[in-house]
Amino acid sequence: MPTAAAARSGGWPTCCSTMADPTGITAALPRSLLHLRFLIDNDAAPDIVLFRDPAMRAPLDAAFPGRTLDLGREQLPGRTPASLLAARRANRAYYPHVRALIEQAGIRRLILFLEGEPLERFLLTLPTIDRVELWEDGLSHYVDLTDPLWYAARGAVQAAAGFYARSILHRRIDRSRVLVRDRFAARNLRLLPPPPPAGHRAELLLIGSPLVEDRLIARPRFVRGLASVAAASPWPVRYLPHPREDRTRLATDLAPLAQVIVEPDAAGLMTHAARYGYAAYAAAVSTGLLDLDRADRSLFIPALFGLNGMARTLRQWEANPVRVVETGEELQSVLMALEPSTPA
């Protein structure tokens, strides 16, 4: 497999749409709608689009009709020893099943988006795969926002359940073995921003993240963070929930904060951003701020939610196009300097 340096110097094609080869089949494994957008916006033309989650079937079938292949997925254990043993048995059979599907399909070239998952690690070991591209997965592609011990603990649980275990305690693969494509480091990938918004709101759009659901912070800390943002903003704050956030929990947490409005639009950030522009955009941590392409009005604010390590990591990321704000006072100062009526 060529090194990344050789690939950038011309060892591999410069665009995935030219990756197709009559001697082998190209496949992609998008795990999210963001990954699908990357494939579409970069004119990728994989012969086969792999998926493992049922929710991805419909959008992939719409974008690549007749080209999808369901790999299934590993089995998660329940809370009993019997369920753990059942998961281990199922997962020991799962990976040979995937290998057979890949070999039967004649797949030789592969586009991946995740590098720390057991399935992707397994695919990298298949001898029939001779070229691999790793495409950006958003913020996690560039920076490590969670503690390595948390990631290792997760891997240990997966290994106990029979997931593919090689390097399961590690977050990253050896990127020298693949061609890396991304927007801000290698700069060989693009993502089209949403179209100019149809309307404008003189508000701060706070893009939600599942901080409570993922147990990164406790609910009281989340509420204090929201209160800090509301106190610093010269405009009403509109909260756009993440799909994995509990709406009932959110309604309870936001009830005391009259200045914070929960946005009912559930169509997703990019669709919402085409409907409305805002005076400013903020998030504790969200790839969405990168996808908007409105960096002059966008702010990362993890420290306001007690995520000081994330704030430090984002500050140290040299290619970060979005300003990182540390305190409520700094947030207020930055927002006051913006003109709220300017469409964005």
Side-chain angles (χ1 to χ4, degrees):
M1 190 177 293
T3 65
R8 283 192 292 270
S9 66
W12 281 3
T14 57
C15 179
C16 181
S17 62
T18 63
M19 196 176 172
D21 188 306
T23 64
I25 298 297
T26 297
L29 178 52
R31 296 275 212 121
S32 70
L33 295 180
L34 173 63
H35 302 164
L36 175 57
R37 287 180 55 221
F38 273 125
L39 291 174
I40 293 171
D41 290 355
N42 290 274
D43 302 318
D47 303 291
I48 298 174
V49 182
L50 309 169
F51 72 96
R52 47 169 269 153
D53 296 310
M56 289 296 294
R57 181 189 293 272
L60 291 177
D61 280 338
F64 300 101
R67 284 188 268 175
T68 58
L69 176 61
D70 185 356
L71 295 182
R73 62 179 302 161
E74 298 96 339
Q75 181 174 316
L76 294 171
R79 296 180 178 273
T80 66
S83 70
L84 177 61
L85 291 174
R88 288 179 63 87
R89 285 194 298 269
N91 292 333
R92 278 198 297 267
Y94 172 69
Y95 296 104
H97 167 70
V98 169
R99 177 172 182 159
L101 289 176
I102 298 297
E103 291 177 350
Q104 290 166 10
I107 296 169
R108 290 185 55 188
R109 294 164 180 82
L110 189 59
I111 302 170
L112 299 177
F113 293 86
L114 302 184
E115 59 183 316
E117 295 299 316
L119 175 59
E120 279 78 355
R121 296 278 177 88
F122 174 73
L123 292 174
L124 285 169
T125 70
L126 297 183
T128 52
I129 303 290
D130 57 20
R131 292 185 183 180
V132 178
E133 295 191 6
L134 177 66
W135 286 26
E136 173 188 337
D137 180 45
L139 266 179
S140 62
H141 173 86
Y142 302 98
V143 292
D144 296 337
L145 292 170
T146 52
D147 191 289
L149 293 177
W150 179 92
Y151 198 88
R154 172 179 176 266
V157 172
Q158 290 176 323
F163 285 56
Y164 180 73
R166 182 183 296 180
S167 301
I168 201 168
L169 303 182
H170 301 287
R171 188 193 307 264
R172 305 290 181 188
I173 64 170
D174 178 1
R175 290 189 179 184
S176 69
R177 298 181 60 243
V178 301
L179 173 62
V180 177
R181 297 194 186 279
D182 58 47
R183 288 174 287 175
F184 303 110
R187 296 181 180 271
N188 52 5
L189 201 65
R190 65 177 180 173
L191 189 73
L192 299 180
H200 179 71
R201 288 170 168 170
E203 299 171 353
L204 169 64
L205 182 67
L206 183 57
I207 301 167
S209 302
L211 303 176
V212 174
E213 285 70 18
D214 288 351
R215 300 183 180 181
L216 295 174
I217 59 174
R219 288 178 68 177
R221 189 65 190 84
F222 174 77
V223 173
R224 291 200 301 274
L226 285 175
S228 296
V229 174
S233 176
W235 319 295
V237 177
R238 188 170 294 266
Y239 191 91
L240 183 66
H242 187 278
R244 289 199 291 111
E245 284 188 280
D246 184 329
R247 294 271 183 150
T248 302
R249 190 269 303 168
L250 268 178
T252 301
D253 289 350
L254 271 63
L257 302 173
Q259 195 180 357
V260 181
I261 308 158
V262 179
E263 172 55 49
D265 187 355
L269 175 60
M270 293 300 104
T271 299
H272 185 73
R275 294 172 180 165
Y276 296 101
Y278 288 85
Y281 305 83
V285 56
S286 173
T287 295
L289 285 185
L290 304 180
D291 304 342
L292 283 172
D293 195 29
R294 300 172 186 175
D296 58 329
R297 291 180 172 269
S298 297
L299 302 163
F300 282 123
I301 54 172
L304 273 71
F305 291 85
L307 298 168
N308 297 314
M310 288 187 180
R312 182 168 56 254
T313 298
L314 289 170
R315 284 198 314 271
Q316 293 171 348
W317 175 27
E318 293 181 358
N320 185 3
V322 175
R323 180 169 177 171
V324 181
V325 167
E326 299 286 340
T327 65
E329 292 77 10
E330 183 184 2
L331 175 61
Q332 184 176 52
S333 175
V334 173
L335 295 180
M336 291 292 287
L338 295 175
E339 170 53 57
S341 63
T342 302

